Amino acid sequence: MGFLQEEHGSILVEVIDLDRATLLDVEEFKKILFEDIQTGWRKIIIDLTECKFIDSTFLGTIVIALKKITELGGKLRLVGIQPETQIMFQLTNMNRIFKIFENREDALQSFM
């Protein structure tokens, strides 16, 4: 499928509906995510529950988005990171930079 958006009041959830998120998908995702930030979304959750793997280019886009949204006073959360991706986050210490939640409900509550 690709990318889905769900609005929960002032919180936008970007669902990555891909088995593998790679260089092939990053430009479309970057466009969507940066447009969200430009149009005023300041609370964004990236839901990776369905995504078994993300490559370094996809991770880099998420890092840049975190920087952009933080500079504007916003917050970005991640949810549903799968084991293979979790290993990459730990090796790169990204698990210390991002607020990561096991499920969407906890991520939504973190904004309250």
Side-chain angles (χ1 to χ4, degrees):
M1 274 206 88
F3 308 102
L4 307 169
Q5 292 182 325
E6 298 176 10
E7 295 180 18
H8 296 266
S10 64
I11 304 167
L12 180 67
V13 179
E14 286 288 352
V15 180
I16 311 305
D17 193 20
L18 300 167
D19 190 47
R20 297 176 58 83
T22 66
L23 177 64
L24 300 173
D25 309 295
V26 77
E27 285 305 316
E28 180 182 356
F29 178 63
K30 184 188 294 186
K31 181 179 179 231
I32 292 167
L33 190 55
F34 292 175
E35 281 180 10
D36 294 340
I37 295 168
Q38 281 184 322
T39 57
W41 288 102
R42 296 296 177 259
K43 297 175 183 175
I44 299 176
I45 296 170
I46 299 176
D47 188 339
L48 296 160
T49 304
E50 299 300 318
C51 190
K52 292 183 179 80
F53 172 80
I54 67 171
D55 72 6
S56 60
T57 57
F58 210 87
L59 176 58
T61 296
I62 297 172
V63 170
I64 293 167
L66 175 65
K67 184 177 182 213
K68 281 182 180 276
I69 201 165
T70 301
E71 287 171 353
L72 296 169
K75 297 178 182 174
L76 186 139
R77 308 283 196 250
L78 301 179
V79 66
I81 294 180
Q82 299 300 312
E84 191 172 336
T85 302
Q86 184 69 34
I87 291 168
M88 179 174 57
F89 270 74
Q90 291 170 343
L91 290 173
T92 59
N93 287 322
M94 290 295 134
N95 58 324
R96 295 181 183 188
I97 294 171
F98 289 99
K99 291 200 178 193
I100 302 170
F101 297 87
E102 286 188 31
N103 60 62
R104 190 181 301 181
E105 293 75 28
D106 289 347
L108 287 166
Q109 284 297 319
S110 75
F111 286 113
M112 304 301 164

